[in-house]
Amino acid sequence: MGMTVLTVGEVTKYIKQTFVSDPILNNVYVKGEVSNYIKHTSGHMYFTLKDKTSKLKCVMFSNRNRLINFSISNGMKVIVGGYISVYERDGIYQLYAEEIQPDGIGSLYLAFEELKQKLEKEGLFKPEHKKKIPALPRNIGLVTSTTGAAVRDFLTVVKRRFPGVNIYLVPVLVQGVQASEQISNAIDTLNRYSNIDLIVLTRGGGSIEELWAFNEERVARSIFSSKIPIVSAVGHERDFTIADFVADLRAPTPSAAGELVVPVKRELEVKINTLLRQLNFQIGRKIISNKEKLSYLKKRLYSRPEDFIYQKQQEIDNITKDLFRNLKSLLERKNSLFMRLVEKMEALSPLKVLSRGYSITRKYNDKTIIKDIKALKKGEILETLLYKGQILSQIIKLEEGRTEYGN
């Protein structure tokens, strides 16, 4: 009595909605051992995560797993990020994987993702905050270690491309406990110098542990607060750090940074010389054209200056003549229209009717025009208007009937 009976599908949908509305299950990281791994012909990956007590089915669709840069196999310990939901057909819950990493970097990877999401929500990665990189920086602040290939690669490329650029090297540790503090302080220090046009952060490639200084929040905050544009060139092309996301420009390698921040001096000189030649040519053409116009005007003005005045006077006479001719024509058209209107008004005038032998009879006292004998009574005084003069009369007799016209 009074029981609510649900279908299997309704129960499954309710459970799925419960999963969807749970904020923890919508963004969760799970670590475990891979088993029952299958990569379908569609490209989708199916596997199970297990530990000593439980198992969790997982699916990772092809649009997500194509970004994985390592091979997955049974027995591998991994950390999988994604969301938990229900596969309605089978009524089972599973982890829909969006990212996966080997468990060897577990704690660092989780810290990286946590900080990345935090800073992204705050807007530190938004394009509208990116500062424009100067086309030709004269003074570049270089924040890196004095040892290693990165500094040599960057300096070699910059000096080869544009020898006149000044490089101010601020030596820092690029890995280890004190590295993030030194990098942050170096950025803040360079911002106190007004002559620095650009800052470049760089170091060579390495593991996530070795690059970790560039994933620290204090470094990210210093990059974002910098009034000077910053280029991040950390690690190899496939390495990404928090600094890369916050910086105004990311270079895949230190050498690539050198190519991005300065042009090739010789190419720039050739381009400038070409533009100068084009500019001089256009200026020359303009000067010659204006000289020819000036010479022509001088000849006209100084040979017979009165001709210019005479021409203008003649133009005024012609304009005046046209004006009076148009005015006369307009007056004639208006006068003709006026006369036609007068004729129409005269044809409708009561006097015109009276001139043809007709008269108008009206009551003498209130001037009401008589149209029907029923409006009159015996003895009443009438006034009859003729073309010339008027008659006063008194009604002696009234006779009804329609008036017949004729001789």
Side-chain angles (χ1 to χ4, degrees), residues 95-273:
L95 173 60
Y96 290 82
E98 295 184 322
E99 50 188 296
I100 184 169
Q101 290 291 333
D103 191 18
I105 58 167
S107 59
L108 289 180
Y109 180 73
L110 291 175
F112 174 89
E113 285 298 326
E114 183 180 351
L115 179 59
K116 181 184 173 185
Q117 291 179 18
K118 174 185 175 182
L119 299 182
E120 188 171 19
K121 287 179 181 178
E122 292 183 26
L124 271 66
F125 304 161
K126 287 186 176 180
E128 55 263 35
H129 295 315
K130 306 295 184 185
K131 293 175 283 295
K132 187 177 180 180
I133 305 301
L136 180 57
R138 300 298 302 271
N139 301 295
I140 298 176
L142 180 61
V143 179
T144 188
S145 170
T146 55
T147 61
V151 63
R152 293 194 301 270
D153 292 345
F154 179 80
L155 292 175
T156 300
V157 172
V158 170
K159 293 301 181 182
R160 184 187 74 241
R161 291 171 67 88
F162 209 101
V165 175
N166 300 314
I167 306 294
Y168 295 89
L169 176 61
V170 183
V172 295
L173 293 174
V174 292
Q175 68 183 71
V177 178
Q178 298 178 343
S180 61
E181 181 181 1
Q182 291 188 12
I183 295 169
S184 177
N185 290 340
I187 295 171
D188 298 340
T189 299
L190 287 170
N191 269 269
R192 290 196 287 269
Y193 292 90
S194 59
N195 65 326
I196 300 298
D197 304 311
L198 180 68
I199 296 174
V200 176
L201 305 180
T202 187
R203 68 146 289 160
S207 64
I208 189 171
E209 292 90 349
E210 292 171 329
L211 301 179
W212 192 252
F214 296 89
N215 291 321
E216 294 282 0
E217 183 171 356
R218 67 178 302 164
V219 173
R221 300 282 181 194
S222 292
I223 294 173
F224 185 75
S225 301
S226 174
K227 295 181 175 61
I228 303 170
I230 293 181
V231 174
S232 175
V234 179
H236 298 305
E237 189 167 354
R238 69 178 184 177
D239 295 325
F240 276 88
T241 64
I242 298 295
D244 294 326
F245 295 111
V246 185
D248 302 295
L249 179 66
R250 176 191 180 258
T253 62
S255 298
E259 294 177 353
L260 288 172
V261 300
V262 293
V264 177
K265 186 175 183 180
R266 181 55 189 157
E267 292 177 358
L268 191 61
E269 289 173 344
V270 170
K271 186 175 181 179
I272 291 173
N273 289 333

Side-chain angles (χ1 to χ4, degrees), residues 1-5:
M1 294 293 292
M3 290 189 302
T4 300
V5 180

Side-chain angles (χ1 to χ4, degrees), residues 149-397:
V151 63
R152 293 194 301 270
D153 292 345
F154 179 80
L155 292 175
T156 300
V157 172
V158 170
K159 293 301 181 182
R160 184 187 74 241
R161 291 171 67 88
F162 209 101
V165 175
N166 300 314
I167 306 294
Y168 295 89
L169 176 61
V170 183
V172 295
L173 293 174
V174 292
Q175 68 183 71
V177 178
Q178 298 178 343
S180 61
E181 181 181 1
Q182 291 188 12
I183 295 169
S184 177
N185 290 340
I187 295 171
D188 298 340
T189 299
L190 287 170
N191 269 269
R192 290 196 287 269
Y193 292 90
S194 59
N195 65 326
I196 300 298
D197 304 311
L198 180 68
I199 296 174
V200 176
L201 305 180
T202 187
R203 68 146 289 160
S207 64
I208 189 171
E209 292 90 349
E210 292 171 329
L211 301 179
W212 192 252
F214 296 89
N215 291 321
E216 294 282 0
E217 183 171 356
R218 67 178 302 164
V219 173
R221 300 282 181 194
S222 292
I223 294 173
F224 185 75
S225 301
S226 174
K227 295 181 175 61
I228 303 170
I230 293 181
V231 174
S232 175
V234 179
H236 298 305
E237 189 167 354
R238 69 178 184 177
D239 295 325
F240 276 88
T241 64
I242 298 295
D244 294 326
F245 295 111
V246 185
D248 302 295
L249 179 66
R250 176 191 180 258
T253 62
S255 298
E259 294 177 353
L260 288 172
V261 300
V262 293
V264 177
K265 186 175 183 180
R266 181 55 189 157
E267 292 177 358
L268 191 61
E269 289 173 344
V270 170
K271 186 175 181 179
I272 291 173
N273 289 333
T274 301
L275 291 174
L276 282 175
R277 286 195 298 270
Q278 293 175 353
L279 180 62
N280 290 332
F281 176 74
Q282 294 296 332
I283 292 174
R285 287 185 60 184
K286 192 69 175 178
I287 291 173
I288 293 172
S289 175
N290 287 338
K291 279 184 177 180
E292 291 175 351
K293 290 179 181 178
L294 182 61
S295 177
Y296 173 74
L297 291 174
K298 281 182 177 180
K299 289 178 181 178
R300 291 190 58 191
L301 182 62
Y302 293 115
S303 59
R304 293 183 63 85
E306 65 275 11
D307 284 350
F308 179 77
I309 299 173
Y310 294 155
Q311 287 182 17
K312 295 302 177 184
Q313 287 178 339
Q314 188 173 354
E315 288 178 11
I316 293 173
D317 291 340
N318 290 333
I319 292 172
T320 304
K321 188 189 300 180
D322 291 340
L323 178 62
F324 279 108
R325 183 174 64 253
N326 293 334
L327 183 60
K328 182 180 179 182
S329 176
L330 179 62
L331 289 174
E332 289 175 352
R333 291 197 303 272
K334 296 298 182 182
N335 186 59
S336 176
L337 176 61
F338 175 74
M339 295 306 296
R340 289 198 300 272
L341 293 175
V342 168
E343 290 174 359
K344 288 182 179 180
M345 292 182 66
E346 286 182 348
L348 298 173
S349 173
L351 293 176
K352 194 72 172 178
V353 176
L354 295 177
S355 69
R356 296 201 298 270
Y358 294 95
S359 63
I360 299 173
T361 301
R362 62 188 181 182
K363 292 183 178 183
Y364 179 72
N365 56 351
D366 60 4
K367 309 303 181 185
T368 302
I369 295 175
I370 307 303
K371 297 180 182 179
D372 191 343
I373 195 171
K374 293 179 181 180
L376 302 175
K377 59 185 178 179
K378 188 177 179 180
E380 195 168 2
I381 304 298
L382 301 178
E383 180 182 30
T384 303
L385 302 178
L386 305 175
Y387 179 62
K388 292 183 179 181
Q390 59 187 24
I391 299 172
L392 293 178
S393 58
Q394 188 175 21
I395 299 174
I396 299 174
K397 182 181 179 180

